[in-house]
Amino acid sequence: ARVFAPSADTAARIRGVYPNLAVTVRPHLEPERAVRDTALQRHGQIRRIAVLGGISLPEGGLLLQALASNVRKRGLPLHFSIVGFSDPALTGGLERAGVLETGRYSTDDPTLDCVARAGLQIAETGRHWEDEETLDLVTQVSADLILLPAIWPETYAYALTLALRTGLPVVAFDLGAQGERLRDHPNGHLLPYALAADPAALNDRLLAVDVSANGRRHGAIQAATYKNLMCDYYSEPA
């Protein structure tokens, strides 16, 4: 009877296939929006870049490998860490290129799927354990900025919310929901999608991002809130 999309970009892509379909944009609920400054206020010679979550091909796994390989070839002061883990098919290549992985989160339980785990975490504590662990790990790897290397258009990008919660500069391609959501954020740095095919130029752009205290902005993350999900989310717009 009705169709909902979590971003305007997603709604536009659906309408591109079904031009006569009415699509209502309703961003996802974000219960955790507080910024927790993960910056260490250090002045290291190497710029440390964190990539969050489980990294596969669509999330930019091969691009990340190409970036790290270019760093080694050119001797650039960059280091990449995956705060999380990679697809096993990519792990070997990433490791050889010098990309560090912190590994699977301690909250992972192989007997439950990710949706069930998330539901249990929220029901038991009201918080996302995995999110807090990720923020801890961002500090442990001494990250200067966050890179979201996804090469496909995200429909919403929960990883972006987590990236913004670090208080660090966030870099992503101007693509899909990640571009839509990050465009007006003071910590956001959007790059042309064409750079996905040019690792050298992309690394140069990463080196140019201001990671000093002046380059970080702290404010509430703009995200949707619904007092009553059933009424506020599914009700007809005013």
Side-chain angles (χ1 to χ4, degrees):
R2 300 177 64 197
V3 178
F4 295 87
S7 63
D9 180 85
T10 304
R13 292 174 188 276
I14 295 172
R15 293 190 194 106
V17 180
Y18 304 101
N20 298 321
L21 188 65
V23 183
T24 300
V25 177
R26 289 277 197 274
H28 289 314
L29 176 69
E30 291 281 12
E32 296 283 353
R33 296 185 293 159
V35 173
R36 197 182 93 186
D37 192 352
T38 58
L40 294 179
Q41 306 294 337
R42 62 180 181 79
H43 301 283
Q45 295 183 346
I46 297 178
R47 177 162 296 191
R48 300 181 182 277
I49 300 173
V51 179
L52 309 183
I55 303 304
S56 64
L57 284 172
E59 279 80 29
L62 284 181
L63 172 60
L64 184 57
Q65 181 179 328
L67 290 171
S69 296
N70 180 259
V71 164
R72 284 193 164 182
K73 179 180 178 181
R74 298 168 63 195
L76 298 177
L78 289 172
H79 183 270
F80 295 92
S81 297
I82 297 174
V83 178
F85 55 94
S86 64
D87 185 311
L90 300 173
T91 302
L94 288 165
E95 183 178 344
R96 288 190 293 273
V99 178
L100 170 73
E101 294 187 19
T102 59
R104 291 188 174 273
Y105 305 112
S106 62
T107 53
D108 283 350
D109 181 345
T111 65
L112 297 171
D113 64 30
C114 61
V115 176
R117 281 199 305 273
L120 285 174
Q121 290 171 10
I122 297 169
E124 292 175 0
T125 68
R127 303 179 66 83
H128 295 265
W129 299 345
E130 202 168 273
D131 288 3
E132 297 305 314
E133 182 178 1
T134 300
L135 293 173
D136 288 341
L137 290 169
V138 169
T139 300
Q140 288 181 28
V141 301
S142 304
D144 296 300
L145 65 87
I146 306 295
L147 172 65
L148 302 179
I151 58 173
W152 68 351
E154 300 278 3
T155 57
Y156 181 75
Y158 278 113
L160 174 55
T161 301
L162 193 54
L164 292 173
R165 288 190 62 204
T166 67
L168 299 173
V170 180
V171 179
F173 292 120
D174 193 356
L175 175 72
Q178 59 266 49
E180 177 183 327
R181 295 184 58 208
L182 197 57
R183 188 164 294 116
D184 297 324
H185 198 283
N187 276 6
H189 299 267
L190 288 177
L191 302 179
Y193 184 58
L195 289 180
D198 192 344
L202 180 50
N203 276 333
D204 291 340
R205 294 290 289 269
L206 293 174
L207 284 168
V209 174
D210 183 3
V211 298
S212 69
N214 293 331
R216 299 193 297 272
R217 302 291 184 271
H218 300 291
I221 296 174
Q222 298 300 312
T225 57
Y226 305 99
K227 288 185 178 180
N228 184 305
L229 194 60
M230 291 301 294
C231 295
D232 296 340
Y233 186 97
Y234 291 106
S235 63
E236 293 285 353

